[in-house]
């Protein structure tokens, strides 16, 4: 009569069963467990390879583990920063927990994991970083809590971090599986760290490349603006010098020579100020230039700008006038910048107005506590199709005389905007053009 089989199907419970029959069954069970572990580790490896990183795959990885093992809390502490640089004293925390409705893992579990991490990496104390961290400094202490397993993630570089798991009823097979998962993490983390460092190096290289491109752009802009705006005062210097030579040495013309010399000095001051301001702008790399705002009388401002440019109008036989307005309140503006705006607008008017034409500069008070300055010419006017492009950088009309750079009106528009004002134009073909810009009134 055959001996009855044990409930578990294990013949080892019956002493009458020969040992030669018991060993194959035990080996078969171990082989089945090994196959299951290999399949589970294959899933874990695929998950780590398919994701964008360990941080992205960790919740899904522990979800898989929780199907196979009674895991309640799992914490991964990684001793590197976001760029892959080792910072063992400030490990990054990644957390998973099975409690429904709980947004963060238990603080006690985090404290145990941090203390065990410090103990395993050989530090006296550590602080945590990450989304689920708790504030504080954690001293090194080995984990001696029932149901808690802390496994170091060891690579060639040393201890990279720890895998901290809280579980209930974890058997020997579960410990073997956890140890294998920790080994896979220890292989995946160094590769991810290298990738992070490479990404950061490329980002820095790209940032340096863009900075170099920006520096080149600002150099080119500096050269173009200087070459444009310095032409007007240089031309004024030449014209005044020629008038001094033509005036001769007669004593009755001494006052003219003195006025021409004063104009040359003013033009030189404008050039020096222009170059200095543009160099400041180049150093600031695109940041707005701080304006030296001060109350300025409008009449004096207009008279000074026109005095330097008057010889250019006289050379073309033009009439350049300024309408006095002593009743206007002073404006709050940067003197050199507004002189630059007026120089661009008036020199443009002189350029486009034919010989014998009239150019008038005047100012009046407008609504909103602002003073509006007008530069009116009797030139040919601006075609309607060109008007929308007047203030664009480097734009020039196809019929424009001379070889301008297309920067003057763009620069003037930017400087007026920096003062909080607006630059506008009103023009009709055959009836001349009027450019106007506003400046704020200086409050008493």
């Amino acid at each position: 009569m055959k001996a009855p089989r044990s409930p578990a199907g294990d013949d080892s419970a019956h002493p009458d069963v020969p040992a030669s029959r018991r060993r194959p069954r035990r080996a078969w069970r171990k082989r089945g467990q090994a196959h299951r572990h290999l399949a589970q580790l294959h899933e874990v490896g695929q998950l780590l390879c398919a994701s964008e990183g360990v941080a992205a795959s960790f919740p899904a990885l522990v979800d898989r583990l929780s199907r196979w093992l009674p895991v309640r809390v799992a914490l991964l502490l990684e001793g590197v920063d976001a760029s892959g640089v080792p910072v063992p004293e400030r490990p990054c925390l990644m957390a998973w927990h099975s409690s429904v409705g709980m947004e963060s893992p238990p603080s006690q579990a985090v404290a145990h994991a941090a203390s065990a991490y410090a103990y395993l990496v050989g530090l006296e104390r550590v602080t945590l970083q990450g989304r689920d961290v708790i504030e504080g400094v954690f001293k090194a202490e080995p984990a001696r809590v029932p149901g808690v397993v802390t496994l170091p993630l060891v690579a060639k570089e040393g201890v990279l971090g720890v895998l901290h798991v809280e579980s209930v009823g974890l058997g020997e097979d579960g410990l073997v599986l956890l140890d294998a998962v920790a080994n896979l993490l220890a292989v995946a983390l160094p590769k991810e760290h290298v990738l992070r460092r490479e990404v950061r190096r490329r980002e820095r290289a790209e940032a340096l490349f863009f900075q170099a491109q920006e520096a080149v752009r600002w150099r080119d802009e500096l050269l173009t603006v200087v070459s444009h705006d310095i032409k007007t005062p240089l031309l004024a210097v030449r014209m005044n010098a020629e008038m001094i030579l033509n005036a001769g040495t007669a004593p009755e013309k001494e006052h003219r020579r003195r006025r021409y010399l004063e104009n040359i000095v003013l033009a030189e001051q404008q050039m020096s100020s222009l170059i200095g301001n543009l160099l400041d702008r180049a150093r600031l790399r695109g940041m707005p230039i701080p304006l030296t705002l001060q109350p300025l009388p409008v009449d004096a401002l207009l008279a000074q700008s026109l005095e330097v440019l008057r010889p250019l109008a006289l050379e073309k036989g033009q009439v350049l006038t300024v309408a006095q307005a002593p009743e206007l309140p002073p404006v709050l503006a940067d003197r050199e910048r507004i002189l630059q705006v007026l120089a661009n607008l008036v020199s443009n008017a002189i350029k486009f107005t034919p010989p014998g034409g009239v150019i008038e500069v005047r100012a009046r008070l407008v609504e909103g506590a602002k003073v509006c300055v007008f530069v009116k010419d009797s030139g040919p006017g601006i075609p309607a199709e060109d008007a929308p492009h007047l203030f664009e950088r480097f734009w020039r009309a196809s019929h424009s005389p001379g070889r301008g750079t297309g920067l003057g009106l763009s620069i003037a528009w930017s400087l007026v905007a920096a003062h909080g004002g607006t630059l506008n134009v009103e023009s009709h073909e055959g009836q001349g053009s009027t450019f106007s810009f506003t400046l704020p009134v200086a409050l008493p």
Side-chain angles (χ1 to χ4, degrees):
M1 182 176 178
K2 291 184 178 181
R5 295 175 62 85
S6 63
D10 187 359
D11 292 340
S12 62
H14 301 275
D16 297 336
V17 179
S20 59
R21 291 180 57 189
R22 293 197 301 267
R23 282 195 296 272
R25 292 180 180 275
R26 190 179 300 115
W28 183 259
R29 287 196 304 273
K30 289 185 177 180
R31 182 180 297 177
Q33 292 173 355
H35 279 296
R36 285 196 304 274
H37 280 188
L38 286 175
Q40 292 164 352
L41 293 177
H42 178 68
E43 285 189 40
V44 172
Q46 282 186 320
L47 192 61
L48 290 174
C49 293
S51 67
E52 297 181 354
V54 174
S57 63
F58 185 70
L61 185 151
V62 184
D63 276 337
R64 300 282 180 89
L65 281 178
S66 65
R67 301 176 193 171
W68 310 323
L69 303 175
V71 178
R72 295 186 304 180
V73 176
L75 305 174
L76 178 64
L77 277 74
E78 180 187 8
V80 296
D81 60 12
S83 60
V85 178
V87 283
E89 68 282 357
R90 295 186 66 246
C92 181
L93 173 68
M94 289 168 273
W96 179 95
H97 54 88
S98 61
S99 301
V100 179
M102 184 183 296
E103 295 183 356
S104 59
S107 58
Q108 188 175 8
V110 175
H112 289 159
S115 299
Y117 167 86
Y119 176 79
L120 290 172
V121 298
L123 296 174
E124 293 184 0
R125 54 181 61 85
V126 295
T127 57
L128 300 179
Q129 57 175 326
R131 185 176 63 87
D132 299 308
V133 301
I134 58 176
E135 299 294 332
V137 178
F138 304 93
K139 296 183 178 180
E141 184 179 349
R144 295 172 181 172
V145 182
V148 171
V149 178
T150 304
L151 299 171
L153 308 179
V154 183
K156 181 175 64 176
E157 297 83 0
V159 179
L160 304 176
V162 298
L163 175 63
H164 182 88
V165 176
E166 291 188 2
S167 179
V168 177
L170 189 65
E172 182 179 352
D173 291 344
L175 288 173
V176 172
L177 179 59
L178 280 179
D179 184 62
V181 171
N183 289 334
L184 288 178
L185 287 171
V187 172
L189 284 176
K191 296 179 180 179
E192 183 177 335
H193 298 168
V194 172
L195 180 60
R196 289 188 200 174
R197 289 193 290 268
E198 181 64 25
V199 169
R200 179 55 61 90
R201 279 195 291 266
R202 290 188 179 184
E203 289 176 349
R204 293 182 60 186
E206 290 179 359
L208 291 175
F209 175 74
F210 289 134
Q211 288 178 7
Q213 282 189 320
E214 187 71 6
V216 172
R217 186 179 72 82
W218 275 106
R219 181 203 64 189
D220 294 342
E221 180 172 346
L222 175 66
L223 292 175
T224 53
V225 173
V226 168
S227 64
H228 175 274
D229 277 8
I230 210 169
K231 288 188 300 182
T232 299
L234 274 176
L235 187 56
V237 169
R238 181 177 68 82
M239 294 300 301
N240 281 279
E242 290 178 355
M243 289 184 175
I244 292 175
L245 292 175
N246 295 332
T249 59
E252 63 273 11
K253 295 184 179 180
E254 179 62 28
H255 68 285
R256 290 189 181 181
R257 289 194 294 271
R258 183 174 184 84
R259 189 180 65 188
Y260 297 150
L261 289 172
E262 290 174 351
N263 291 340
I264 291 175
V265 172
L266 288 175
E268 186 278 331
Q269 290 175 352
Q270 288 185 12
M271 286 188 287
S272 299
S273 177
L274 170 66
I275 294 173
N277 289 332
L278 288 172
L279 290 175
D280 288 341
R281 186 178 180 186
R283 284 191 290 267
L284 289 172
R285 297 288 177 85
M287 296 175 61
I289 300 174
L291 299 175
T292 306
L293 300 177
Q294 55 183 328
L296 299 173
V298 178
D299 281 352
L301 197 62
L302 300 183
Q304 180 179 345
S305 65
L306 267 61
E307 190 65 29
V308 176
L309 298 171
R310 197 177 301 278
L312 306 182
L314 292 176
E315 185 185 30
K316 294 183 67 175
Q318 298 167 340
V319 178
L320 178 58
T321 62
V322 56
Q324 298 294 323
E327 73 283 358
L328 288 179
V331 294
L332 186 65
D334 185 310
R335 176 178 172 275
E336 300 301 329
R337 291 300 186 179
I338 298 306
L339 288 177
Q340 188 178 351
V341 172
L342 287 167
N344 275 320
L345 296 181
V346 176
S347 62
N348 267 2
I350 295 173
K351 175 181 177 182
F352 289 99
T353 301
V358 178
I359 301 165
E360 180 187 8
V361 180
R362 56 187 173 85
R364 63 180 174 86
L365 194 64
V366 295
E367 295 181 0
K370 291 185 177 181
V371 169
C372 189
V373 179
F374 300 86
V375 178
K376 182 179 180 181
D377 63 60
S378 59
I382 300 170
E385 64 271 15
D386 292 345
H389 307 286
L390 285 177
F391 303 117
E392 295 178 5
R393 292 176 58 80
F394 302 110
W395 182 86
R396 293 180 66 248
S398 57
H399 60 277
S400 175
R403 297 181 58 189
T405 60
L407 280 171
L409 291 177
S410 172
I411 294 171
W413 185 91
S414 300
L415 294 178
V416 171
H419 285 78
T422 57
L423 175 60
N424 301 295
V425 61
E426 181 179 349
S427 180
H428 301 282
E429 287 192 77
Q431 300 180 23
S433 305
T434 301
F435 286 84
S436 61
F437 64 93
T438 57
L439 293 173
V441 170
L443 298 177

